[in-house]
Amino acid sequence: MQLKELLQKHAFTCTKRYGQNFLSDPQLLDAIARDGALKGDRVVEVGAGAGTLTRALCALGAHVTAFEIDEKLRPVLRETLRGTDANVIFADAMQYDLSLLGDEPFRLVANLPYYITTPVIFKFLYDERLLSLTVMVQKEVAERICASAGTAAYGALSAQMQAMGRVRIVRSVPRNMFYPAPEVDSAVVRLDIAPLLDRALLPAYRKAVAAAFAMRRKTLANNLKAAYALPKEQAEQIVRTVCGDPAARGETLHVEQFIRLTELLG
């Protein structure tokens, strides 16, 4: 049965509130599943939707726990996932206590609703059980995540995700592959977790990065001065030590320099 027919059968109508744009092409779904997981992997999915990606992950041999916030999708998911061992949790993943998932390492694989893309990423990004993150996001967001220092797209999201391991765009997905079609194209981003700094430094790193991009028109030294209550001379000396230019802006620093900045800020 085609996705549209399945949704009509259960009188389900997609709503903008939950950013519901579903994929139905079997070959694409199988490819995205392979982008994110291997047979035997434990996978967490946020936004099961109609269950099409969930089913593809199960067919791959992954053990899937999928979150879905919309209770109206119960009958759709019951039909889509019949014969699989997928565990669907009807709850808001952003409000869920992730410790309830147990101690076993997992991979996050999801077609993320656009309206909660960044919050979901950061809810999972620093979890010590996370092995990899493979998510469908707006193409523009994917490009920001993977942007190089010194480019217009580079920002706090880039610096934070790139500090957690190797990140790259693995697949582009045009808007016409979704039902209903969104107004933008999408891309699948994969991050393999291998932090470039000690996990104990992560809170300080996140603060330093947030400070650096707090006001993009200001120099890094001025942003640090405001965020850390530093004398101007001290802030400029720290920036000079990191990159050699006391007038540098935050977007010019690559991840290794942000790590050095974090260490100097204590």
Side-chain angles (χ1 to χ4, degrees), residues 3 15 24 40 78 83 91 108 116 121 131 134 142 153 178 180 184-187 218 223:
L3 174 63
T15 63
S24 62
R78 189 179 301 117
L108 178 68
I116 57 165
I121 287 174
L131 297 173
T134 305
F178 294 86
V184 295
D185 295 326
S186 298
K218 287 193 173 184
N223 277 330

Side-chain angles (χ1 to χ4, degrees), residues 204-222:
Y205 180 86
R206 295 172 69 182
K207 180 180 178 180
V209 169
F213 291 99
M215 298 188 70
R216 291 186 71 116
R217 292 187 177 183
K218 287 193 173 184
T219 65
L220 175 57
N222 279 332

